[in-house]
Structures are given as C-alpha cells and as structure tokens.
C-alpha cells in the first residue's frame, strides 16, 4: 500500500484505499488499486541478479511511446518508481482471452495495434532493442540455441524434473537439431544470408510478448498489456511470437493472411514475409523452451514470486503445453 500511495501522490491521483492481487503475472506481482475515484494497477517487477533485463524500463518506455503516438490499445502509464521497481498504470476492464477463443476480429485488432505503433513518422530510435531482438536469421537461431543449452541443466528440486528432462532429451533436442538444419538450408535456397542484418527501416516497434494471453477484451475492443520485453525488433519475430505463444494462439489458418497484411502495411518487401514464414518453426521451438523455464534454477525464484499472487502453474500442465508446441513443428497449413 505504501508504494501505491506514493505513486498516486506523485501523479496527483486519489489516495489508494484498497489493494487486491490480480491473477496472471508470472514474473511480477500485480494488484488492483481502488480509490475514491478511478481504479489503477500497481505492478511490482521481479528482479534477479542472474537476469539483467530491466523489465520496468522496457515497459515504461514502450507505454510512453505508444501513448505519445495516440495508441489507445494499451494502459496509460501514470507514475513510476524505478528504485522500488514499481509502476502505476490505468486499470483496464475486460476478460482474458482463453485458448480456442481467438477469432479473425481479434487478429484484426492486433494488426491495427501493430500498424499504429509503426505508422509513418514514428520516432522509435530512442526505444531500446526488444529482449532477444533479432537483426538477422542467425540471431533467430542463436536465441533458441541458448535456450536449448540452458535446458540441459534443469533444477533437480523442480517438481516433475525427471519428466521434464526426459522430454528435453528425448524430444526437444533432436527436433531442434532437425529444424535448425532445415531452416539453415532453406535460407540458402531463398538467397538469404544467415548473418546479414536487417536493412535500415526494416525493423519495427514490437510489443514483443504480444500473444493474446496478454490481452483483455471488452465487447469488441482489445487492450494489450505486459510489455516488459518490448522495443525495436524484427517484424518476423513479432508475428512468430503472436502465433506461437501456446496459451491463447490464433488459428494457424489465419497465419498466411496475417503475414501478407502486416508486411504490406509496413511497406516491406516480399523477402521479409518469406523470412517470417521460414522462421515460424524456430519460434515454435523457442516457445517450447520458454514454457520449460519453470524447470530451470532461475525459475525457482520466479515460481516463488508468482505464487504469492496465485500465478503458479502445475508442472504437469507445463509439460503438456510443451508437447503440444512440439507437435506443431512442420505444420504449415
């Protein structure tokens, strides 16, 4: 309550009267802040000495940029305390999108959101690079290499660790070797150089973790939340994250149309859409690795932090979700 009160006072907003935890955050603690006037959201960001990313800075800079661009599909940034690792945001009413509920109109909202962020005249140079930003095909492959390598050393104290190790060694590792080789060969066929960086103007402003698991729906309006990894990135990675995140994935039958509409809207050449199609399986593997983060030693602290707000997920469910992601590798229709 003390942090919420200080942030509200800093912004000249009503004094908080009650805090209630909100479900959903796995890396942070999130609370609804009730006042005599409007409600707010208080976010306390998890910090780990082994993870140097500044989640608060990424989210705050992105929200400030979006609001300056008159993008309404995000919460309003109200006040921030970088020393305390806390921010106060406007409260967004709405329901979480569940798996199997994503329809074409949801994707239309996402497309509009992305294109607004990247409208002509956008001054994005001051935004940081997104977490794990990819400026070449080699970058896309490398982020999965690193994640796969980390999974060789799971936390022996994690629940269901033995089952997770069996899944990693028996299924994920062989599938990654096969996928990496296939994608590397396809780049040569398409005339794409593995370590060639994106040309000027080809990167985009990316919400990064933009899946519909990070969206709230009220009527036909979608508001996107959680931008701790946002920044400048390859639009191919943005699309892959949208379609590959296993919590509330869009129907993959919409993938081709979305790619065509997005890259046309961004004014990028066909080769960029081809890169996006080529890299989809790379990011399916990446997301399988992300789901398994909870079995890593660093995941132990995150599990404890998230459990305080009821966001911990059963390990059996995580393993089942990973298997579903792996089963999609090579599926393109």
């Amino acid at each position: 309550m003390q942090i919420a009160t200080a942030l509200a006072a800093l912004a000249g907003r009503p004094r908080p009267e009650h805090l209630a935890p909100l479900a959903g955050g796995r890396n942070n603690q999130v609370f609804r802040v009730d006042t005599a006037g409007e409600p707010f959201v208080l976010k306390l960001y998890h910090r780990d000495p082994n993870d140097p990313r500044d989640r608060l800075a990424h989210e705050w800079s992105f929200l400030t940029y979006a609001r300056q661009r008159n993008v309404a599909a995000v919460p309003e940034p109200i006040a921030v305390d970088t020393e305390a690792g806390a921010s106060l945001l406007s409260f967004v009413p709405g329901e979480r999108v569940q798996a199997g509920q994503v329809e074409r109109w949801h994707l239309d909202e996402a497309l509009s959101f992305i294109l607004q962020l990247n409208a002509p005249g956008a001054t994005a140079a001051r935004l940081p690079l997104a977490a794990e930003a990819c400026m070449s095909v080699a970058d896309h492959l490398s982020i999965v290499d690193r994640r796969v390598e980390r999974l060789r050393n799971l936390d022996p104290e994690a629940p269901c660790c033995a089952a997770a190790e069996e899944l990693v060694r028996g299924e994920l590792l062989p599938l990654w070797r096969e996928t990496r080789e296939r994608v590397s060969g396809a780049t040569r066929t398409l005339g794409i150089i593995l370590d060639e960086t994106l040309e000027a103007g080809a990167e985009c402003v990316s919400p990064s973790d933009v899946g519909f698991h990070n969206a709230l729906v009220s009527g036909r309006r979608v508001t996107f939340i959680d931008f701790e990894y946002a920044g400048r990135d390859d639009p191919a990675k943005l699309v892959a994250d949208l379609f590959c995140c296993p919590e509330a994935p869009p129907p993959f039958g919409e993938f081709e149309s979305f790619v065509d509409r997005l890259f046309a809207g961004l004014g990028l050449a066909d080769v960029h859409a081809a890169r996006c199609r080529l890299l989809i399986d790379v990011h399916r593997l990446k997301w399988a690795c992300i789901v398994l983060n909870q079995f890593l030693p660093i995941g132990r602290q995150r599990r404890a932090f998230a459990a305080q707000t009821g966001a911990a997920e059963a390990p059996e469910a995580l393993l089942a979700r990973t298997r579903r992601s792996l089963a999609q590798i090579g599926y393109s229709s």
Side-chain angles (χ1 to χ4, degrees), residues 164-224:
E165 286 184 339
E166 181 179 355
L167 176 60
V168 169
R169 299 183 188 280
E171 298 181 45
L172 190 146
L173 289 175
L175 193 53
W176 172 234
R177 287 192 291 268
E178 174 190 323
T179 301
R180 199 187 198 289
E181 182 177 351
R182 172 165 52 83
V183 170
S184 297
T187 58
R188 292 190 290 272
T189 301
L190 293 171
I192 298 173
I193 301 173
L194 277 177
D195 58 357
E196 184 177 27
T197 59
L198 291 171
E199 68 268 25
E203 67 181 34
C204 72
V205 176
S206 173
S208 200
D209 192 8
V210 70
F212 286 99
H213 63 299
N214 281 335
L216 295 169
V217 177
S218 179
R220 300 283 285 192
R221 177 182 177 183
V222 179
T223 302
F224 295 92

Side-chain angles (χ1 to χ4, degrees), residues 142-175:
S142 293
I143 62 173
V144 185
D145 282 337
R146 291 193 295 270
R147 287 186 176 277
V148 167
E149 188 60 31
R150 287 200 293 267
L151 291 176
R152 295 180 184 274
N153 298 289
L154 301 184
D155 181 3
E157 297 182 18
C160 298
C161 179
E165 286 184 339
E166 181 179 355
L167 176 60
V168 169
R169 299 183 188 280
E171 298 181 45
L172 190 146
L173 289 175
L175 193 53

Side-chain angles (χ1 to χ4, degrees), residues 103-112 114-115 212 239 242-243 250-251 253-268 270 273 277:
E103 300 177 15
R104 175 68 177 253
W105 72 268
H106 292 98
L107 283 167
D108 291 342
E109 290 286 295
L111 179 66
S112 176
I114 296 165
L115 293 180
F212 286 99
V239 177
L242 177 64
F243 277 85
E254 297 287 348
F255 175 74
E256 292 292 335
S257 171
F258 190 88
V259 169
D260 288 341
R261 291 189 292 157
L262 176 64
F263 284 87
L266 293 174
L268 295 176
D270 291 345
R277 293 181 171 95

Side-chain angles (χ1 to χ4, degrees), residues 69 85 217 223 233 280 296:
R69 297 287 303 168
V217 177
T223 302
D233 208 343
I280 191 69
L296 294 173

